[in-house]
Amino acid sequence: MFGYVEPDKPELKIREFDVFRGYYCSLCKTIGKRYGQIPRLSLSYDLTFLYILLDATSAFPLGGRRERCIAHPLKKRFRVFSNIFAEYASDMNVILTYYSLKDKWDDEKSLLGGTGSLALKMAFNKARKLHPEKCSAIEGYLKDLRTLEKNKCDSVDEAAEPFASLMRELFECGHIKDESTRKTLGWMGYNLGRWIYLIDAFDDLSKDIKHKSYNPILCQYDFNGEDVESFKERVRKALNFNLTYSLSEIEKAYSLLDIEKNKGILDNILYSGLIVKTDAILQGRGKNEKESI
Amino acid sequence: MKKNPYKVLGIKEGASYDEIKRAYRELAKKYHPDKYRNNPLADLADEKMREINEAYETLMKNAGGAYQYQQDYDQTYENSNASQGSYSQQYQQQQQQKQQQQSSSQYQYQYQYGYDDEAELERQARMYVNNGNLAEAQRILDKMRNRNASWYYLQGLVFLRRGWYDRGYSSIQKAVNMDPSNFEYRNALNNLNQQRAGYRQNPYYRNTYHQSPDMCNLCVNLWCADTCCECMGGDLIGCC
């Protein structure tokens, strides 16, 4: 997970921001309670979004209180009371982080990947026991992804497929009993996964050119050693279509859900946060570009 | 169980005639079948649309009597949709067409099964695309040798349905290039562009990022105007 799914902060109401952070805290504390302190470091915004979204489709009342925590010992912060969705999101967080760290270790022998995956091993085993099917499905998709990358797949659509399917698996949470809601969530997840994968690929372009590593965008649009900026200029329009269309499909699925609460936060993320991020990265203001400005 | 029509339309109980109409029109736009044309959730959107139509009809009957409602309903849509009829009429027509298409192709399918002719394969592929059976549609498309405009069109639809938008778009673009006079292909391409552009039209984003000039802009503009005037020897704002 790459942490691209964020709210458009300036547009959030202060109350909404508080609730958003409350969910974030709640997820962090749930991980701590279920898996111990070290896995708490793996917390991500994307899973917080999943937690908020899943919780929003249920009629559980929203409750919380102000608490202290290790990361912020001085000031009490609002946290939402956890429920089954917090537990689900925390399990998935551990599973995904473990796989991504392990991947880093296997690929690049990075120290962070090695120690991280070792530290998460126990937690991962516990989470796998709780969700054996999800886990094996995720593992399958990651294997597909690796194969595609090894074969230097030259279609962005095809390359995005495994990660998109992985996200579909994640969003089709077993705690949601209604079949059509689950299907709708799954389609949201699929398109969000596509978006994340593609935006990350675009964001990594300069890095991948420098290190000569695989990037589906470079392969599909025949990068021929030209200047990075002129290459970006060349592919921007096609990617803008691909990304925005994925977002429009997310929006279509979202409007079919019965949202019981947190509508303000979700609207903010889905209508504004994602597109603002897309524009920022397409115009070269992503997190990998900061040094160059 | 029938839902509360006010809740379906997202309005307060006892909302006025105009409010109901406005809410209905907005929702009808939101769940319009055109928007969900290449979407695997089309059936859910249809269901939602039916709910909205029902709720609207119930409320309108209660508000102003059946006669008035009918007249108003037709008027609204004649005005906004210029002779295309109301959404629900359109919707019914589409459903009927779909059923006819399906039944006729099934009929032909039974009769000509085993007759490995390209046109027949194309009909089958189209039927599977309409039913949402993508794996089967892809299998048939792979079997076809004649890669003409309609092949690219169907292939594009299959790509779009499964979420491969880049390939879907370029396939449909290719179909349009090969047969520029075909209305169906052109329509599909326009629809894609509309969907994409439509995402930025949602009120949450539009109201924030496409606002009229704000105070900051105003100051900068004034300053520019002043500078220009000074260049020409005059002065707009005396103090600077």
Side-chain angles (χ1 to χ4, degrees), chain A residues 151-164:
Chain A
N151 296 340
K152 304 230 177 298
C153 165
D154 63 351
S155 152
V156 287
D157 284 341
E158 211 177 321
E161 174 79 19
F163 190 72

Side-chain angles (χ1 to χ4, degrees), chain B:
Chain B
M1 194 183 70
K2 207 167 168 189
K3 286 187 182 167
N4 177 356
Y6 288 104
K7 209 179 161 201
V8 172
L9 293 181
I11 43 182
K12 292 196 298 283
E13 290 208 17
S16 76
Y17 202 66
D18 283 340
E19 278 169 332
I20 298 174
K21 251 191 324 200
R22 205 177 314 130
Y24 171 72
R25 215 174 301 167
E26 226 155 74
L27 288 174
K29 219 162 98 188
K30 196 165 166 188
Y31 297 107
H32 195 280
D34 270 358
K35 208 174 132 185
Y36 287 87
R37 205 190 285 162
N38 297 311
N39 191 302
L41 306 172
D43 48 338
L44 295 175
D46 276 357
E47 206 175 291
K48 201 100 182 177
M49 194 72 204
R50 206 161 24 225
E51 244 171 43
I52 293 163
N53 279 331
E54 243 168 55
Y56 181 69
E57 279 170 32
T58 325
L59 287 185
M60 279 316 195
K61 262 180 210 150
N62 292 341
Y67 174 71
Q68 197 188 348
Y69 139 70
Q70 189 61 41
Q71 200 183 18
D72 192 88
Y73 185 80
D74 290 345
Q75 259 177 10
T76 317
Y77 285 96
E78 262 159 36
N79 293 343
S80 68
N81 253 2
S83 81
Q84 283 187 7
S86 72
Y87 287 128
S88 65
Q89 275 169 6
Q90 264 184 29
Y91 169 71
Q92 278 164 3
Q93 278 171 3
Q94 278 180 358
Q95 285 303 91
Q96 277 170 4
Q97 277 175 3
K98 226 193 240 175
Q99 275 169 6
Q100 277 169 5
Q101 267 177 11
Q102 275 177 16
S103 60
S104 71
S105 48
Q106 264 163 8
Y107 171 74
Q108 279 154 358
Y109 179 74
Q110 282 166 358
Y111 263 70
Q112 301 183 352
Y113 185 66
Y115 198 75
D116 232 5
D117 149 42
E118 290 279 306
E120 168 56 22
L121 281 178
E122 191 186 312
R123 259 195 301 275
Q124 285 179 24
R126 196 174 272 267
M127 180 187 86
Y128 285 123
V129 172
N130 287 339
N131 292 347
N133 186 348
L134 299 181
E136 200 55 28
Q138 186 64 60
R139 201 180 60 80
I140 291 178
L141 284 171
D142 287 342
K143 231 168 43 181
M144 287 169 69
R145 265 153 305 173
N146 183 11
R147 307 267 152 116
N148 53 11
S150 79
W151 185 88
Y152 277 104
Y153 173 67
L154 288 174
Q155 179 64 71
L157 291 188
V158 172
F159 278 142
L160 288 178
R161 261 323 146 80
R162 60 182 292 191
W164 291 23
Y165 310 124
D166 184 60
R167 285 197 167 178
Y169 187 84
S170 45
S171 297
I172 288 180
Q173 176 87 63
K174 197 155 185 176
V176 171
N177 290 347
M178 285 165 94
D179 186 0
S181 61
N182 189 304
F183 180 69
E184 193 185 12
Y185 310 156
R186 199 178 277 272
N187 208 2
L189 193 67
N190 287 343
N191 189 3
L192 283 181
N193 284 323
Q194 253 171 35
Q195 296 306 320
R196 184 191 67 83
Y199 177 72
R200 282 175 196 269
Q201 292 304 314
N202 70 71
Y204 198 106
Y205 179 75
R206 197 183 48 203
N207 291 347
T208 325
Y209 292 92
H210 295 275
Q211 254 171 0
S212 49
D214 56 11
M215 279 314 278
C216 190
N217 247 335
L218 184 78
C219 291
V220 171
N221 289 344
L222 268 178
W223 174 69
C224 280
D226 183 48
T227 314
C228 286
C229 285
E230 278 166 6
C231 277
M232 309 295 285
D235 198 5
L236 184 66
I237 308 166
C239 59
C240 67

Side-chain angles (χ1 to χ4, degrees), chain A residues 138-157:
Chain A
I138 290 173
E139 204 163 325
Y141 291 130
L142 289 173
K143 201 184 270 169
D144 292 349
L145 187 63
R146 226 166 300 135
T147 321
L148 282 172
E149 289 182 351
K150 211 175 276 166
N151 296 340
K152 304 230 177 298
C153 165
D154 63 351
S155 152
V156 287
D157 284 341

